[in-house]
Amino acid sequence: MNFKNKSNFTTRLNSRLAIGAVALASAVMFSCSKVNEQQPYAKLDPKDAFSNPERIGKAAVGMYDALQNPEFLGGRVLLYADQRGLDANIAGYFTNIGTFDMQSINNFAFNCWSGGYRTINETNFFSINLKENEAVVGPTVAAGYYAEAKFIRALSYFYLVNTFAQTYADQPTAAESGVPLILTAPRDGAEATDPKNKVKRNTVQEIYDQMIKDLTEAAAVLPVKTGDAFADHARATKGAAHALLSRIYLYQGNWAKARDFADSVLLSSNKYELDATPAAAFSAGNYQTSKERIFSVAMNSGDNPNTNNALGQHYGSNGRADVSISKLYRTLPNFDYQTDLRGKPLFSYNINKDNGDTIAFYTKKFFGTSTFDAWVPVIRLAEVMLIKAEALARLNTGAPDAAAVKLLNDIRARAKASVLAPATQAELITNILTERRIELAFEGHGVTDFQRTKRDIPAHGNVVLQKWNGNYTIFPLPFAEVERNPNMKQNEGY
């Protein structure tokens, strides 16, 4: 597979030339208009879009363009998880998300759902049309494109199932407990509105099984590195697939597999390593050179210019400044934010002009070169190291696992934090879970780390305690989708 340079990739990413009927395909999931009366996107027939290698290449980039959806992996889906955690203060703009009292008519839920399934349908539509035109690029190049489609689909399902369904640790095999598993796409508006597309929800187990299948097949084909710095960080690679597999197995509680796939990343010939400082991994100048950032959703100021969507706008003190850092985060055990490099160097402040007091703290993880163009950090090496540490800690039921303690302290050493010496397995696991909060704050792990470990979300501020598998720790399915589809079961309590 021949990945082009950054400028060509970005041009393609913004062109949205690629997949003609994606707007129609998305109607499988929701209906806002008479889709059977619409023309294909950009009026480009799929036969033309897949007629030569260059156009197929542009169509492949279109899948990453879909991944940039500002309501989903353009960043919002990460923010939603953090709003229901403890480390970010509740933002008034995101009404009812952080207070666990959403309704099924909530626009954020609708837009997140539709954004995720638009991305999935784009991967499905691409794969179907590539299959019919495989001879245009040949089987080897096609295999690489299929692998990218599978990676993007699995990534999208990870966030959908963990936003709209209870965690795997709850009842993964319960009927209709997950989200709909869609592996194909309609050809046109008429097919999109066919009653056969009014599908039921699959089980959580079925979604996880498909993610693992997609990523395993993708990893067997994807390159370790492409030779292009932009593509190595913003397109699917073997390391990205293995890293996501390690996270998925962690969520399943399959500690051995989580450890093994973390090792696949740590021992990769790509030679991933921590950046010199925590802040370096989030510097816009390092997005394409960082050895720590395994996969990110690339953005520029033209991709997400709306002040209501960009992560830098919501999290940045010089943007909308909706989401500030909570006192609960600043006072975490083993975290001295005055000296820890994940503290002050990664904080910005709003100051009271009258007395000079700090009135709010904000993260600088999403500054980019402006408040609009920060790349979305999907998975970093620091997370993979902590996944392996947790897996080892849980597998070794005796004394604290020495390798796990070393990984924990390697993360802390980079941040100039004190060395920890847990005395028991339970203390080590607690230390690792706390370290995940310190290290991975504001990167979309807020509520899901509580849910997957069966820990209730403590009462905080005006929020009452939420059971880890309570009705309102997850989003409702959009009312419009349930109303349209009599086979779609709403989440309990909504």
Side-chain angles (χ1 to χ4, degrees):
M1 192 183 320
N2 181 23
F3 290 150
K4 301 299 183 181
N5 61 31
K6 174 190 173 185
S7 61
N8 286 345
F9 186 96
T10 305
T11 299
R12 291 177 177 186
L13 209 56
N14 292 330
S15 70
R16 297 201 60 87
L17 173 64
I19 298 176
V22 66
L24 303 179
S26 64
V28 173
M29 288 296 111
F30 54 91
S31 56
C32 298
S33 60
K34 298 179 180 179
V35 294
N36 57 332
E37 296 175 2
Q38 295 180 9
Q39 293 296 316
Y41 187 83
K43 298 182 180 179
L44 183 63
D45 189 280
K47 291 180 181 178
D48 293 326
F50 290 80
S51 62
N52 61 54
E54 183 180 4
R55 284 187 170 180
I56 291 175
K58 289 178 179 178
V61 172
M63 294 187 292
Y64 293 92
D65 194 8
L67 203 59
Q68 292 177 323
N69 188 298
E71 303 290 349
F72 192 61
L73 268 166
R76 276 280 181 87
V77 73
L78 276 66
L79 187 153
Y80 295 153
D82 289 331
Q83 277 291 281
R84 290 172 289 145
L86 299 177
D87 302 327
N89 287 319
I90 296 171
Y93 179 75
F94 296 104
T95 309
N96 307 120
I97 291 177
T99 51
F100 299 93
D101 57 353
M102 297 174 70
Q103 297 181 352
S104 62
I105 58 173
N106 187 287
N107 280 337
F108 295 122
F110 176 84
N111 291 336
C112 182
W113 175 275
S114 59
Y117 275 107
R118 280 184 185 274
T119 306
I120 288 167
N121 276 314
E122 189 137 358
T123 66
N124 292 339
F125 193 84
F126 172 84
S127 297
I128 289 169
N129 282 278
L130 179 59
K131 189 68 175 177
E132 295 178 356
N133 297 276
E134 196 172 291
V136 175
V137 293
T140 302
V141 173
Y145 288 144
Y146 292 134
E148 290 188 90
K150 289 174 182 178
F151 173 83
I152 294 170
R153 183 169 67 188
L155 179 63
S156 299
Y157 266 120
F158 175 83
Y159 286 102
L160 280 171
V161 76
N162 282 289
T163 302
F164 291 95
Q166 292 291 356
T167 182
Y168 188 93
D170 189 22
Q171 301 179 61
T173 61
E176 301 180 66
S177 57
V179 295
L181 182 60
I182 308 296
L183 303 177
T184 187
R187 296 290 187 172
D188 52 36
E191 186 178 341
T193 56
D194 190 293
K196 70 180 181 182
N197 289 320
K198 293 183 177 181
V199 297
K200 293 182 178 181
R201 299 170 66 168
N202 289 73
T203 67
V204 170
Q205 179 74 60
E206 287 169 332
I207 301 300
Y208 271 74
D209 287 348
Q210 186 63 47
M211 290 190 294
I212 290 169
K213 180 177 185 293
D214 277 349
L215 290 169
T216 302
E217 292 173 356
V221 176
L222 289 168
V224 173
K225 57 200 312 186
T226 69
D228 179 88
F230 187 86
D232 284 342
H233 293 82
R235 291 184 77 153
T237 61
K238 192 180 297 291
H242 283 162
L244 187 53
L245 276 166
S246 71
R247 180 195 288 179
I248 287 169
Y249 281 121
L250 185 81
Y251 273 59
Q252 283 191 316
N254 189 332
W255 314 123
K257 285 287 185 70
R259 173 203 61 200
D260 291 347
F261 278 99
D263 269 338
S264 295
V265 177
L266 295 170
L267 301 174
S268 169
S269 60
N270 194 32
K271 300 187 184 304
Y272 296 106
E273 59 186 46
L274 294 176
D275 287 324
T277 65
F282 296 94
S283 168
N286 296 337
Y287 287 161
Q288 296 183 58
T289 58
S290 169
K291 297 296 291 181
E292 179 173 349
R293 291 181 81 116
I294 298 171
F295 181 78
S296 303
V297 178
M299 307 291 288
N300 64 39
S301 58
D303 294 322
N304 195 5
N306 192 325
T307 57
N308 291 333
N309 289 93
L311 285 178
Q313 280 286 315
H314 290 305
Y315 282 101
S317 59
N318 59 340
R320 289 176 53 94
D322 295 302
V323 185
S324 58
I325 299 171
S326 72
K327 185 176 180 180
L328 290 170
Y329 178 72
R330 302 194 309 272
T331 57
L332 277 170
N334 309 323
F335 181 46
D336 182 348
Y337 81 89
Q338 299 284 353
T339 58
D340 193 304
L341 296 185
R342 295 163 296 189
K344 275 194 168 183
L346 271 174
F347 288 1
S348 60
Y349 313 89
N350 273 357
I351 305 296
N352 187 313
K353 294 181 180 178
D354 295 326
N355 59 25
D357 289 342
T358 299
I359 56 176
F361 299 80
Y362 296 87
T363 182
K364 293 167 66 174
K365 286 187 174 183
F366 306 111
F367 268 24
T369 57
S370 72
T371 56
F372 299 102
D373 62 357
W375 285 23
V376 180
V378 173
I379 196 158
R380 299 189 284 122
L381 185 67
E383 180 188 349
V384 175
M385 293 170 66
L386 289 170
I387 287 173
K388 182 179 179 182
E390 183 178 344
L392 290 172
R394 294 186 185 277
L395 285 167
N396 188 342
T397 58
D401 186 274
V405 174
K406 182 180 186 306
L407 285 164
L408 171 66
N409 282 314
D410 285 347
I411 295 289
R412 293 181 61 80
R414 193 261 298 260
K416 308 298 183 187
S418 60
V419 174
L420 298 181
T424 64
Q425 180 201 29
E427 185 179 347
L428 173 57
I429 291 172
T430 297
N431 286 168
I432 292 168
L433 294 178
T434 301
E435 199 68 21
R436 284 181 61 90
R437 284 182 62 185
I438 299 169
E439 178 68 30
L440 305 176
F442 323 116
E443 297 178 56
H445 303 274
V447 73
T448 52
D449 258 4
F450 280 90
Q451 292 168 309
R452 71 173 179 83
T453 53
K454 299 184 179 182
R455 291 176 294 158
D456 296 339
I457 296 92
H460 55 285
N462 296 323
V463 179
V464 299
L465 179 145
Q466 301 291 318
K467 294 292 293 182
W468 64 273
N469 59 349
N471 289 345
Y472 306 113
T473 58
I474 58 176
F475 274 25
L477 271 60
F479 174 81
E481 176 62 17
V482 176
E483 185 76 2
R484 182 192 70 84
N485 181 359
N487 298 317
M488 191 72 69
K489 178 184 176 183
Q490 179 60 273
N491 283 328
E492 293 292 331
Y494 288 105

